[in-house]
Amino acid sequence: MPTTIEPRMTNPVFVLPDAMEALLALAKSTQRAGLPRETALLVQLRASQINGCSVCVDMHARELKEAGTRDERIFAVAAWRDTPYYTAAERAALALTEAVTRLSDRADPVPDEIWAEAAEHYDEPELAALLVEIAQINVWNRLNVAVRQVAGVQLS
């Protein structure tokens, strides 16, 4: 039986419209840097899984599907290390996503080998976009989780 979930409050980006404007501007800046859209969506999905953000897991899985991503790539992103569905560049992006999302999990949160692998596959603008994507999805995750934003419900 489904549980009724109610948000604690209106999402902060609607309480503070300048925050929404800033986050949307941040998103646009990454789109112009050359990072493949599918990579950005995989990163968003993986960080959202780690952070337990049902809204973003639901949304980014749907966006990947709408973008034509194969089901196995969407379904297996949480186990990307153990599946053959991702390119070396995507694997580097996912490893960086996990490291940057889980900063407190180790003394050296983003080890040189993870950084070097990402830098091997992405030029500086793409790497900058990747880092901003990771930071941005972590902001959205934290806002949505804190207010218990309901998955599948329009955010307005």
Side-chain angles (χ1 to χ4, degrees):
M1 171 184 259
T3 303
T4 302
I5 301 170
E6 295 292 327
R8 290 180 167 144
M9 66 176 277
T10 302
N11 195 293
V13 298
F14 296 109
V15 176
L16 305 171
D18 289 346
M20 173 68 94
E21 189 176 318
L23 287 172
L24 292 176
L26 193 59
K28 285 181 185 175
S29 74
T30 64
Q31 293 166 2
R32 293 187 294 263
L35 183 68
R37 175 164 164 67
E38 192 169 14
T39 300
L41 290 171
L42 288 169
V43 161
Q44 292 167 3
L45 178 56
R46 184 63 191 122
S48 299
Q49 290 171 334
I50 292 166
N51 291 323
C53 182
S54 63
V55 171
C56 292
V57 168
D58 180 68
M59 177 172 48
H60 299 303
R62 289 175 191 276
E63 288 175 331
L64 281 159
K65 183 75 173 166
E66 290 168 9
T69 302
R70 294 187 328 267
D71 286 346
E72 60 268 17
R73 286 172 50 81
I74 298 168
F75 301 155
V77 75
W80 62 268
R81 285 180 181 85
D82 303 316
T83 64
Y85 308 132
Y86 307 97
T87 66
E90 290 167 338
R91 290 173 182 283
L94 291 166
L96 186 62
T97 299
E98 290 183 359
V100 173
T101 299
R102 295 177 162 149
L103 291 174
S104 66
D105 284 1
R106 55 181 137 190
D108 183 10
V110 182
D112 289 341
E113 61 271 8
I114 289 176
W115 182 264
E117 185 68 21
E120 182 179 314
H121 295 283
Y122 300 99
D123 63 21
E124 189 168 70
E126 292 167 334
L127 194 53
L130 182 56
L131 288 169
V132 171
E133 282 288 347
I134 296 165
Q136 177 178 309
I137 193 59
N138 274 281
V139 168
W140 281 109
N141 292 164
R142 281 151 177 77
L143 292 172
N144 290 331
V145 169
V147 301
R148 291 190 181 143
Q149 188 66 50
V150 180
V153 175
Q154 187 68 24
L155 288 179
S156 57

